[in-house]
Amino acid sequence: QVQLVESGGGLVQAGGSLRLSCAASGSIWSISLMGWYRQAPGKQRELVATINNSRNTNYADSVKGRFTISRDNAKGEGYLQMNSLKPEDTAVYYCNAYSIQYRTNYWGQGTQVTVSS
């Protein structure tokens, strides 16, 4: 099994930056895909970015050019560098990991990101 813990959220002014971290523990060797999702109040959870074991990345159109996803496979950690933040980026951000071994999606508890205008 895999456990995920996010950190790095907070309050930032528009145009600022934050770096989110996701620490994985347990069967980290089984993780094939890591990703970040977000959920704003009253909205559905949406994909922000994903990265696979080959470090191929995928981004939502709304964050392309502003956010960068990365991972350290040896440490079992994932990161989301968020630059040029906008008020519409305000949401709870969740780390996600897919285990090819267990064929299961794992989620962290979420971290709040608030961008003030």
Side-chain angles (χ1 to χ4, degrees), residues 32 51-56 71 73:
S32 59
I51 183 168
N52 65 15
N53 280 342
S54 300
R55 293 182 169 78
N56 296 313
R71 65 189 286 185
N73 291 337

Side-chain angles (χ1 to χ4, degrees), residues 16-72:
S17 299
L18 282 175
R19 186 179 190 238
L20 304 184
S21 297
C22 175
S25 59
S27 302
I28 61 173
W29 53 269
S30 71
I31 297 174
S32 59
L33 186 71
M34 292 190 78
W36 290 91
Y37 290 71
R38 65 187 182 187
Q39 187 166 18
K43 294 187 177 181
Q44 290 187 332
R45 190 173 298 189
E46 63 176 5
L47 170 72
V48 176
T50 60
I51 183 168
N52 65 15
N53 280 342
S54 300
R55 293 182 169 78
N56 296 313
T57 58
N58 179 53
Y59 294 93
D61 288 342
S62 59
V63 306
K64 282 181 181 177
R66 300 188 297 122
F67 290 12
T68 302
I69 189 171
S70 60
R71 65 189 286 185
D72 184 327

Side-chain angles (χ1 to χ4, degrees), residues 5-10 19-21 36-39 82 91-95 108-114:
V5 178
E6 302 100 333
S7 61
R19 186 179 190 238
L20 304 184
S21 297
W36 290 91
Y37 290 71
R38 65 187 182 187
Q39 187 166 18
M82 305 185 293
V92 177
Y93 283 70
Y94 296 92
C95 178
Q109 81 287 353
T111 185
Q112 177 71 46
V113 171
T114 302

